[in-house]
Amino acid sequence: MITLTLALLCLFAFLAGFIDAIVGGGGLIQLPAMLILLKGVPVPTVFGTGKVSSLAGTAAAFRHYAGRVPIRWRAVGVAAGVAGVFSFLGARVVSHLPKELLPPLVLGLLVCIAIYTFWRKDFGSIHAPRLSAQREPLYGALVGLVIGFYDGFFGPGTGSFLLFAFVGLFGYDFISSSAAAKLVNIATNLAALAYFAYTGQILWHVAIPMAISNIAGSTLGAYLAVRHGTGFVRILFLVVVSAFIVKLSLQVFG
């Protein structure tokens, strides 16, 4: 591995970890960089190598959030468990369904999310859980099922969808939603990583330095999110969602 290439991969892993720790969407940065810089490497191996970095950074961000923001462990734990199972199932059926149908649907959903968040200035500003103790785990299971399967099958935007779901359905603020999303993402990343590791599709000499860089970026991102509060997270959320909209628009209409 050329030193310059590895250094660039670590830089993009750091940036991806920073963004992902706050609002999700680190894949917008890390995956395209890996596909460009790791020319000749099979795409599944690129995905598997990237999952090591993503999992390490997500775990580091969650560790920072866990002791500093409120987490509804029962609901979020159910969502994480179900998401892990359905992420694995999504990965298994990915070759049997027309994947090209998803980008237009995802684009439409992201546009709706962006408009709603711009319109509702107070969206995610107050932490006021609205579901009963009995209903929260049921909603958590539903969120885990839908978004977990989506993450295993397609993936882009998973962190942003989770953030929006925890704010919109559960009534959490952006900070608590970001922490909850990290735990669910850990489960989906673990499920995918288990598959890639079992099939030998990981370049460990690349994955480990990238993982260390991603941890550094994630730790910094989580620190700034907790320090600057929901307003900071809301603005960055809108920036990332807008970037996804542009990216998918070019893919769908270009």
Side-chain angles (χ1 to χ4, degrees), residues 69-72 124-129 170-177 230:
V69 299
I71 297 175
R72 311 274 283 196
S125 62
I126 301 174
H127 186 66
F170 292 78
Y172 300 171
D173 63 14
F174 270 116
I175 293 293
S176 297
S177 295
T230 57

Side-chain angles (χ1 to χ4, degrees), residues 52-154:
V52 176
S53 173
S54 298
L55 176 59
T58 302
F62 179 73
R63 181 176 179 274
H64 188 87
Y65 279 121
R68 295 169 174 84
V69 299
I71 297 175
R72 311 274 283 196
W73 290 100
R74 187 181 177 194
V76 178
V78 170
V82 174
V85 172
F86 278 87
S87 176
F88 185 83
L89 292 177
R92 289 294 301 270
V93 303
V94 69
S95 60
H96 303 292
L97 294 176
K99 201 173 180 180
E100 64 274 6
L101 296 180
L102 274 179
L105 175 61
V106 174
L107 176 60
L109 289 173
L110 287 173
V111 169
C112 291
I113 286 173
I115 292 173
Y116 186 80
T117 307
F118 272 114
W119 176 57
R120 285 280 308 275
K121 301 298 183 182
D122 61 340
F123 185 66
S125 62
I126 301 174
H127 186 66
R130 63 172 63 101
L131 300 175
S132 67
Q134 292 73 31
R135 296 182 69 184
E136 265 201 341
L138 294 177
Y139 276 70
L142 179 62
V143 168
L145 188 158
V146 175
I147 299 184
F149 185 86
Y150 168 79
D151 191 30
F153 182 73
F154 189 60

Side-chain angles (χ1 to χ4, degrees), residues 8 38 87 108 126 141 166 172 185 208 222 252-253:
L8 288 173
L38 295 176
S87 176
I126 301 174
F166 281 117
Y172 300 171
N185 258 162
I208 292 175
V252 171
F253 300 111

